[in-house]
Amino acid sequence: SQELEQSPQSLIVQEGKNLTINCTSSKTLYGLYWYKQKYGEGLIFLMMLQKGGEEKSHEKITAKLDEKKQQSSLHITASQPSHAGIYLCGADGGGSNYKLTFGKGTLLTVNP
Amino acid sequence: DVKVTQSSRYLVKRTGEKVFLECVQDMDHENMFWYRQDPGLGLRLIYFSYDVKMKEKGDIPEGYSVSREKKERFSLILESASTNQTSMYLCATGVLSSGNTIYFGEGSWLTVV
């Protein structure tokens, strides 16, 4: 079965700093999905990457997919307290179009 | 916007009780899912359904069952709740194709005492 490893597990940054979260898959990535979760709430979809080398941005968040390395990174520029939360990557293992496997998440704290 | 509604945000149940968690989606999606989320373990798939009355086990189905009588509604059932089923339960719906994704409800916090 596919496994996703996220690093770091937790991260504390000062407001205004840049940061990167990584997600590495044990198998080939057919689709990589990034979600954000506020504590105790549901997951909010951020971005999806499908093609090797693909890069997408939304406001100050950029995600990249390196298909050769079976890895994706999520980069936040000039972090704000509103960016705080848990970031999760999910992967579609291919062969079916209905199931996502998730990493364990990265807890981001942004200190004002 | 896709709306996934979980009927109960917070529940406290006693060991041995039968528990129903309800989920309704408004997007006419065929696929619906139940996950549970625990510290250090992440999200784990319990059951999913790809059509009315169709269901498949996920990674941790033991102690759970599901019901899908109508397309928009997917219920998770704990036949006899146990303390190790205390968790956050998340319902989701969607399809992973053509640039689509899976959308989640706000979650149901279940405590079994």
Side-chain angles (χ1 to χ4, degrees), chain B residues 60-112:
Chain B
I60 51 163
E62 297 78 19
Y64 302 95
S65 62
V66 290
S67 172
R68 184 120 182 248
E69 297 294 322
K70 293 184 178 181
K71 195 173 186 179
E72 68 272 16
R73 189 179 298 269
F74 191 35
S75 301
L76 180 69
I77 303 160
L78 286 67
E79 296 290 342
S80 178
S82 63
T83 55
N84 62 13
Q85 292 179 309
T86 291
S87 186
M88 166 76 140
Y89 291 87
L90 289 156
C91 174
T93 186
V95 60
L96 301 174
S97 65
S98 303
N100 295 310
T101 188
I102 290 177
Y103 298 93
F104 284 80
E106 290 198 351
S108 297
W109 283 97
L110 171 66
T111 301
V112 183

Side-chain angles (χ1 to χ4, degrees), chain A residues 7-21:
Chain A
S7 62
Q9 287 186 307
S10 63
L11 191 55
I12 302 173
V13 301
Q14 283 298 122
E15 183 177 358
K17 296 294 186 183
N18 302 337
L19 63 106
T20 299
I21 298 168

Side-chain angles (χ1 to χ4, degrees), chain B:
Chain B
D1 286 349
V2 176
K3 192 170 176 98
V4 183
T5 303
Q6 294 183 227
S7 57
S8 303
R9 287 281 284 138
Y10 303 96
L11 304 94
V12 179
K13 298 292 182 180
R14 293 191 182 279
T15 301
E17 275 193 79
K18 190 169 186 176
V19 181
F20 292 87
L21 299 179
E22 305 282 342
C23 177
V24 176
Q25 53 106 350
D26 68 352
M27 285 301 291
D28 201 36
H29 285 153
E30 292 176 342
N31 301 328
M32 295 188 76
F33 312 83
W34 276 106
Y35 286 86
R36 66 177 280 179
Q37 185 177 27
D38 301 285
L41 297 175
L43 270 80
R44 294 177 291 168
L45 183 64
I46 305 171
Y47 265 99
F48 62 93
S49 169
Y50 51 89
D51 202 350
V52 175
K53 296 189 185 293
M54 305 300 286
K55 61 186 179 183
E56 281 198 25
K57 294 179 181 179
D59 300 319
I60 51 163
E62 297 78 19
Y64 302 95
S65 62
V66 290
S67 172
R68 184 120 182 248
E69 297 294 322
K70 293 184 178 181
K71 195 173 186 179
E72 68 272 16
R73 189 179 298 269
F74 191 35
S75 301
L76 180 69
I77 303 160
L78 286 67
E79 296 290 342
S80 178
S82 63
T83 55
N84 62 13
Q85 292 179 309
T86 291
S87 186
M88 166 76 140
Y89 291 87
L90 289 156
C91 174
T93 186
V95 60
L96 301 174
S97 65
S98 303
N100 295 310
T101 188
I102 290 177
Y103 298 93
F104 284 80
E106 290 198 351
S108 297
W109 283 97
L110 171 66
T111 301
V112 183
V113 297

Side-chain angles (χ1 to χ4, degrees), chain A residues 4-97:
Chain A
L4 296 176
E5 184 172 339
Q6 287 188 236
S7 62
Q9 287 186 307
S10 63
L11 191 55
I12 302 173
V13 301
Q14 283 298 122
E15 183 177 358
K17 296 294 186 183
N18 302 337
L19 63 106
T20 299
I21 298 168
N22 293 304
C23 175
T24 302
S25 172
S26 61
K27 295 186 177 181
T28 301
L29 288 166
Y30 292 92
L32 192 288
Y33 301 75
W34 282 102
Y35 289 84
K36 179 187 174 184
Q37 184 182 31
K38 290 286 188 182
Y39 181 75
E41 299 180 6
L43 279 67
I44 303 299
F45 173 67
L46 294 175
M47 278 172 276
M48 177 190 61
L49 305 163
Q50 288 186 303
K51 301 175 184 177
E54 187 174 11
E55 179 176 321
K56 288 187 177 178
S57 294
H58 176 68
E59 297 180 344
K60 294 184 178 180
I61 301 175
T62 300
K64 301 178 185 179
L65 177 61
D66 182 339
E67 194 172 276
K68 290 182 180 178
K69 292 184 177 180
Q70 300 178 178
Q71 186 177 56
S72 177
S73 60
L74 186 83
H75 184 79
I76 299 177
T77 302
S79 58
Q80 301 169 354
S82 61
H83 288 128
I86 301 169
Y87 289 83
L88 295 111
C89 62
D92 169 9
S96 64
N97 68 349

